[in-house]
Amino acid sequence: MKQPTDLDLFLFAQGRHERLWTVLGAHEVDTGGCRFAVWAPQAREVRVVGDFTGWGAADGVPLQLDGPSGVWSGAADPARRGQRYKYRILGADGVWRDKADPMASRAQTPPDTASEIWTSEYQWGDDAWMKDRQGEHHRRPMSVYEVHLGSWRPGLSYRELADELTEHVADLGFTHVEFLPTMAHPYGPSWGYQVTGYYAPDARLGTPDDFRHLIDRLHQAGIGVLLDWVPAHFPKDDWALARFDGTPLYEHPDPRRGEHPDWGSLVFDYGRPEVRNFLIANARYWCDEFHVDGLRVDAVASLLYLDYSRGPGEWTPNIHGGNTHLEAVDFLRDLNAAVYADHPGVVMIAEESTAWPAVSRPVDWGGLGFGLKWNMGWMHDTLSYVEQDPLWRHERHDQLTLPGLYAFDEQFLLPLSHDEVVHGKRSLVGKLPGDRWQRVAGLRGLLAYMWAFPGKKLVFMGAELAVEHEWSEAWGLDWAVRSDPLVGGVHSLFRDLNSLYRTHPALWELDTSPDGWQWLHSDPASNVVAFARRSHDRTPVVCVANFAGVPQTAYRVPLPAPGTWREVLNTDATCYGGSGAGNLGSAVADATGCASLTLGPHTTLYLTP
């Protein structure tokens, strides 16, 4: 690495340096030693201290300020790969602080907080995947297995997960995995959402190249990798980003904009070009350096609104007197435009829970530019419905039908995520009424209903085990339950759902268009709904879901055309642990287009012509 050039510093000051991680941070040089560069514009003095200096109060390699850029840089000849370091900064307030490197590519394992000098030597083997992923993700099936790596099987490293997780996800047939934040974070129970090292993978499970190996193995198995990414806030740890040069630098200086009341954290200053550059370059970094296939952007709603979780007097309006966070909106648009320009095969996903319009529309159409948006309305309505005793579900039937009215307002992903199985919300199967058999049957019916509904799919780990207890990062999944035949049935259902999903374009090809959707039947009295999904060639798949909790025989359902229809999935089949109620593999629609179906309790079935 050479000293930052005038062009590098100019681009950074403008917020437009596309590969900022190659300029700032710690980098080995060919002649030996290491060059360091850090942004601290209000600092009075900056030194590098570490294993190569002795860490003493009088030790440290002084860095030089590069003109008005606020970037301090310099070389330390004794520094070597693997050694620990921090920046010792004399702040504008006259206080010395030891700070971890914001651009470090490797961080120490918590509770230690230093940065480490690191250079990747990883050789990728996913060329075929990277070439194939170029193109429109909306035109492809996407079913996502969401994972907290530290608790999937506690004690496994990135390299061990590369074998076991890849095998498990491939067996279930998911197209993608999504990792809860894997960036460096000091507090394990934050699940990674309190990031202190945006450019460093979590060291608890291995090295950055070990993490690359995990992604590579998943790619070679045909599985895409999405990362949760947290640009909405960062923690107040005094050794990390907070008051980095003795002043609010990364955070907004006004606490009414710079502090998050719910999470006890700090909010980035999205109007500052260097801060925007830090974040947008970070998104590029994970796509470039780690070959990730998408970023799920956390807590987008908290970025969009100045009064998010704030009462009167706790927020300041924008220049027009409104509550829109104009600088954050511009940041999100710039972020998405930059990532899609560089990586057209990558998908940007918004976790956004409000009625903000055009979240998943292109920037040049006036949208925020995301590729997909989590459909939180579908999730809340559907879970609220199925949690009710079937005896009373007819009173909430609109919770099933309402999502069909807005299913194409955005380009949606349907999430049954980690957020729905923690903090007293119970596990998915634990939410459902009845005894164990009924709850597992209800879970099977819910999953098949979800896989047929318009939108990409996401479920959190443990759904395939029908776990009764809610998730905690403090313990792993209960793998011992796999011996339960009911659990084996759910596991088999996931395999079959994902196989059918991949092989029937009607279930994904027109996910974002009403041309691919048709309501056929909605009966509150019997708790039955039916709809058809269609592909470009108009070939339909019909989904019929019985939420009554009891069998229904000779139940009349209109189908798209008269003739014989093949039953390609029945969640009440004995192979899944069901009662075996069904239609002997087929159903006949008469001249009026109606068929008499046998529907088992809690059953969803698919029919094709």
Side-chain angles (χ1 to χ4, degrees):
M1 175 194 173
K2 297 180 180 179
Q3 184 169 335
T5 66
D6 289 344
L7 178 59
D8 288 326
L9 299 176
F10 172 78
L11 291 173
F12 177 47
Q14 296 294 310
R16 296 190 291 113
H17 201 297
E18 296 181 356
R19 297 177 61 82
L20 188 63
W21 66 93
T22 67
V23 175
L24 300 184
H27 298 272
E28 294 180 285
V29 295
D30 295 340
T31 56
C34 185
R35 174 164 288 280
F36 298 87
V38 63
W39 180 51
Q42 299 303 317
R44 300 180 186 177
E45 186 178 340
V46 178
R47 304 173 187 173
V48 177
V49 296
D51 293 338
F52 45 89
T53 70
W55 293 97
D59 296 321
V61 177
L63 303 183
Q64 302 300 315
L65 181 62
D66 293 326
S69 67
V71 173
W72 298 74
S73 65
D77 292 339
R80 295 292 183 268
R81 184 183 309 183
Q83 291 183 317
R84 302 166 301 159
Y85 71 97
K86 281 188 176 181
Y87 297 113
R88 183 159 291 163
I89 299 174
L90 178 59
D93 54 1
V95 176
W96 284 97
R97 296 174 176 85
D98 283 3
K99 291 284 192 176
D101 188 349
M103 305 295 296
S105 57
R106 185 174 183 182
Q108 271 193 294
T109 304
D112 296 320
T113 60
S115 304
E116 294 187 20
I117 300 169
W118 177 264
T119 301
S120 175
E121 295 182 341
Y122 191 76
Q123 300 295 314
W124 289 91
D126 63 349
D127 289 350
W129 170 270
M130 295 296 285
K131 181 179 180 180
D132 181 65
R133 83 172 185 185
Q134 301 300 315
E136 184 89 23
H137 60 270
H138 306 109
R139 307 297 184 189
R140 299 187 179 192
M142 180 183 287
S143 61
V144 184
Y145 183 74
E146 188 188 31
V147 185
H148 178 258
L149 288 174
S151 65
W152 186 74
R153 279 192 173 167
L156 294 188
S157 67
Y158 289 132
R159 288 190 174 269
E160 291 166 331
L161 286 162
D163 294 328
E164 298 195 28
L165 179 62
T166 300
E167 180 182 357
H168 184 68
V169 175
D171 178 53
L172 291 171
F174 284 92
T175 68
H176 291 73
V177 294
E178 180 179 318
F179 299 151
L180 271 63
T182 55
M183 301 78 187
H185 57 281
Y187 184 55
S190 78
W191 311 333
Y193 290 97
Q194 297 271 355
V195 178
T196 49
Y198 275 81
Y199 287 79
D202 183 10
R204 294 173 178 88
L205 306 184
T207 71
D209 280 359
D210 293 337
F211 187 49
R212 287 178 170 91
H213 175 72
L214 169 59
I215 295 171
D216 200 359
R217 283 291 302 277
L218 287 161
H219 281 175
Q220 292 177 43
I223 300 164
V225 178
L226 312 174
L227 298 186
D228 272 16
W229 188 61
V230 191
H233 65 116
F234 60 92
K236 295 181 178 180
D237 300 77
D238 59 7
W239 51 268
L241 295 180
R243 295 187 65 86
F244 191 79
D245 62 359
T247 67
L249 183 63
Y250 288 89
E251 65 269 38
H252 196 284
D254 186 338
R256 293 172 295 178
R257 293 196 182 188
E259 295 192 20
H260 200 292
D262 284 352
W263 304 323
S265 54
L266 299 173
V267 179
F268 286 103
D269 185 352
Y270 303 104
R272 190 160 192 166
E274 297 93 340
V275 174
R276 289 160 69 118
N277 202 157
F278 172 81
L279 290 170
I280 294 174
N282 185 245
R284 284 184 162 118
Y285 171 79
W286 292 105
C287 299
D288 281 357
E289 299 290 334
F290 289 85
H291 291 198
V292 302
D293 305 293
L295 297 174
R296 175 267 199 185
V297 181
D298 182 61
V300 170
S302 74
L303 277 76
L304 295 175
Y305 301 98
L306 293 166
D307 58 349
Y308 184 89
S309 290
R310 292 176 173 87
E314 297 176 342
W315 62 283
T316 58
N318 61 33
I319 59 173
H320 304 299
N323 68 340
T324 297
H325 197 326
L326 300 175
E327 294 84 359
V329 170
D330 287 344
F331 158 71
L332 290 171
R333 288 171 171 159
D334 289 349
L335 164 73
N336 289 319
V339 172
Y340 279 121
D342 290 353
H343 303 281
V346 165
V347 57
M348 297 295 288
I349 305 170
E351 187 224 5
E352 203 284 317
S353 55
T354 75
W356 186 279
V359 171
S360 58
R361 295 294 182 264
V363 171
D364 55 2
W365 292 8
L368 291 182
F370 286 96
L372 294 170
K373 173 182 172 175
W374 275 23
N375 193 336
M376 307 294 276
W378 174 89
M379 178 272 294
H380 284 297
D381 283 347
T382 303
L383 290 182
S384 176
Y385 176 83
V386 298
E387 285 174 358
Q388 301 302 309
D389 188 291
L391 187 63
W392 308 110
R393 285 177 178 170
H394 67 279
E395 296 180 351
R396 295 174 174 249
H397 196 74
D398 61 335
Q399 291 183 311
L400 281 184
T401 57
L402 179 62
L405 299 179
Y406 60 80
F408 310 103
D409 289 354
E410 298 277 1
Q411 297 174 158
F412 280 124
L413 179 147
L414 311 180
L416 295 180
S417 75
H418 66 281
D419 278 332
E420 310 317 315
V421 294
V422 291
H423 300 324
K425 295 180 183 177
R426 297 166 293 170
S427 68
L428 280 183
V429 76
K431 297 176 188 290
L432 304 176
D435 59 24
R436 171 69 174 171
W437 187 93
Q438 291 172 316
R439 292 198 302 277
V440 175
L443 175 64
R444 295 194 304 265
L446 168 64
L447 292 169
Y449 175 77
M450 172 184 181
W451 252 245
F453 200 86
K456 311 307 182 187
K457 328 296 177 187
L458 178 145
V459 296
F460 187 55
M461 65 184 198
E464 74 277 24
L465 301 176
V467 292
E468 290 284 352
H469 60 78
E470 67 179 27
W471 172 66
S472 169
E473 82 291 337
W475 56 74
L477 298 179
D478 186 4
W479 294 98
V481 302
R482 287 183 296 176
S483 59
D484 180 350
L486 287 177
V487 172
V490 175
H491 194 101
S492 296
L493 177 67
F494 268 112
R495 282 199 205 104
D496 292 346
L497 277 176
N498 280 319
S499 177
L500 285 166
Y501 178 57
R502 288 174 183 260
T503 56
H504 285 74
L507 294 175
W508 50 265
E509 203 169 54
L510 293 175
D511 256 343
T512 61
S513 170
D515 291 342
W517 160 267
Q518 179 187 1
W519 271 115
L520 297 173
H521 183 71
S522 177
D523 183 359
S526 63
N527 296 329
V528 174
V529 294
F531 54 83
R533 299 293 310 280
R534 295 182 185 275
S535 58
H536 281 299
D537 66 6
R538 311 308 296 162
T539 300
V541 172
V542 170
C543 171
V544 183
N546 175 27
F547 291 102
V550 295
Q552 306 206 54
T553 58
Y555 189 90
R556 299 278 288 175
V557 174
L559 299 180
T564 301
W565 288 73
R566 184 167 59 100
E567 187 179 89
V568 294
L569 181 85
N570 187 328
T571 64
D572 202 37
T574 55
C575 63
Y576 305 131
S579 69
N583 303 283
L584 300 179
S586 65
V588 178
D590 59 24
T592 68
C594 288
S596 293
L597 303 177
T598 297
L599 304 174
H602 311 287
T603 296
T604 298
L605 57 85
Y606 294 174
L607 300 165
T608 60

